[in-house]
Amino acid sequence: MERCEKSPLRIGWESAKANAVPMVILWAVAACLIVGYYCVPGVADCFAPLARWQHESGWLAAFLNLFFFCGVIPGVFIWSIRELRPKYPFATLLVQAIWCGAWGVVNNEVYAVLSRWFGSGTDIGTLLLKTAVDQFVWTVLVMAPVDAVFFFWLGRDFSLARVRAEWPRSFVHGVVLPNLLSNWIVWIPVLCVIYAFPLPLQIQIAGIVGSIWTLLCLQIG
């Protein structure tokens, strides 16, 4: 019997389309945050404690932010829906949260490196350059393939036997590329906003707006 496999573009697009309303809201919130931060008196002062916490606590603040926003919140949401609840809900939530927290630590260092390389300007050229390196170098070579493997395993209830049995003939074509394409759809606009914030706020804002990306990964995985 002939199989008709979906293309990576179609899988990634369908995943993004299924979350179209949350994504549009996410982009709108991101735009409001940056406009408010630079244009509305008093808004920047509201962010000052968050920036100070990140500056003083460093990697721990980055870890806790993504642990909660990208791990716990999506995990609780999925846990609350019977049709989506994994076989081991608490273990899945905990492992996912730790994984996301670890990425918070790593990405905080990536943001710092990009700031050293390209400066802290908020002009469109600097923002696009940082976003391009982030999405088309760092994400392509590291984040997308590593995340794809992790969520493929997590989506099979920690079972290596299921991973071996269900591993697609072309993992890159069937899993990595759809993750990557949906990641670009969500994160290219958002990252332009994130990089417009001062460095201590970048990973904190990334964590707050990052829950939708975790849901996209889980849907594909």
Side-chain angles (χ1 to χ4, degrees):
M1 181 176 176
E2 184 180 356
R3 294 182 59 189
C4 182
E5 297 183 353
K6 295 181 180 180
S7 70
L9 179 61
R10 183 177 177 184
I11 297 172
W13 173 248
E14 287 179 353
S15 180
K17 189 168 64 172
N19 292 279
V21 172
M23 279 195 300
V24 171
I25 295 173
L26 175 69
W27 295 335
V29 168
C32 289
L33 284 173
I34 198 63
V35 170
Y37 185 84
Y38 284 106
C39 301
V40 179
V43 172
D45 294 336
C46 294
F47 283 94
L50 193 60
R52 185 165 56 251
W53 180 52
Q54 177 62 47
H55 179 74
E56 294 174 351
S57 302
W59 70 268
L60 181 60
F63 177 88
L64 291 176
N65 182 289
L66 270 79
F67 179 93
F68 178 72
F69 284 106
C70 297
V72 174
I73 289 180
V76 170
F77 175 78
I78 291 173
W79 196 350
S80 67
I81 300 176
R82 172 178 286 183
E83 292 80 3
L84 299 179
R85 190 177 302 157
K87 184 177 181 180
Y88 308 106
F90 180 77
T92 300
L93 188 154
L94 180 61
V95 170
Q96 176 184 309
I98 293 172
W99 178 261
C100 293
W103 273 127
V105 176
V106 173
N107 280 329
N108 187 49
E109 292 302 314
V110 171
Y111 294 169
V113 168
L114 292 179
S115 183
R116 289 195 295 269
W117 285 358
F118 306 120
S120 56
T122 56
D123 58 282
I124 189 63
T126 300
L127 299 180
L128 289 176
L129 187 57
K130 288 181 178 180
T131 300
V133 173
D134 185 310
Q135 289 296 284
F136 299 111
V137 179
W138 167 246
T139 298
V140 169
L141 297 180
V142 180
M143 282 199 71
V146 173
D147 254 353
V149 172
F150 173 78
F151 281 105
F152 190 87
W153 168 70
L154 190 68
R156 280 141 191 86
D157 302 313
F158 309 104
S159 171
L160 294 178
R162 284 188 62 191
V163 169
R164 287 193 296 268
E166 299 176 25
W167 192 267
R169 287 180 298 176
S170 176
F171 188 76
V172 172
H173 182 275
V175 181
V176 177
L177 287 180
N179 271 337
L180 185 59
L181 290 167
S182 59
N183 180 87
W184 285 341
I185 293 170
V186 175
W187 278 98
I188 286 177
V190 174
L191 275 172
C192 288
V193 170
I194 289 172
Y195 284 123
F197 280 93
L199 180 60
L201 284 173
Q202 289 175 9
I203 193 63
Q204 295 294 319
I205 299 299
I208 291 170
V209 302
S211 296
I212 186 64
W213 168 233
T214 304
L215 293 174
L216 282 167
C217 287
L218 286 169
Q219 183 172 336
I220 293 176

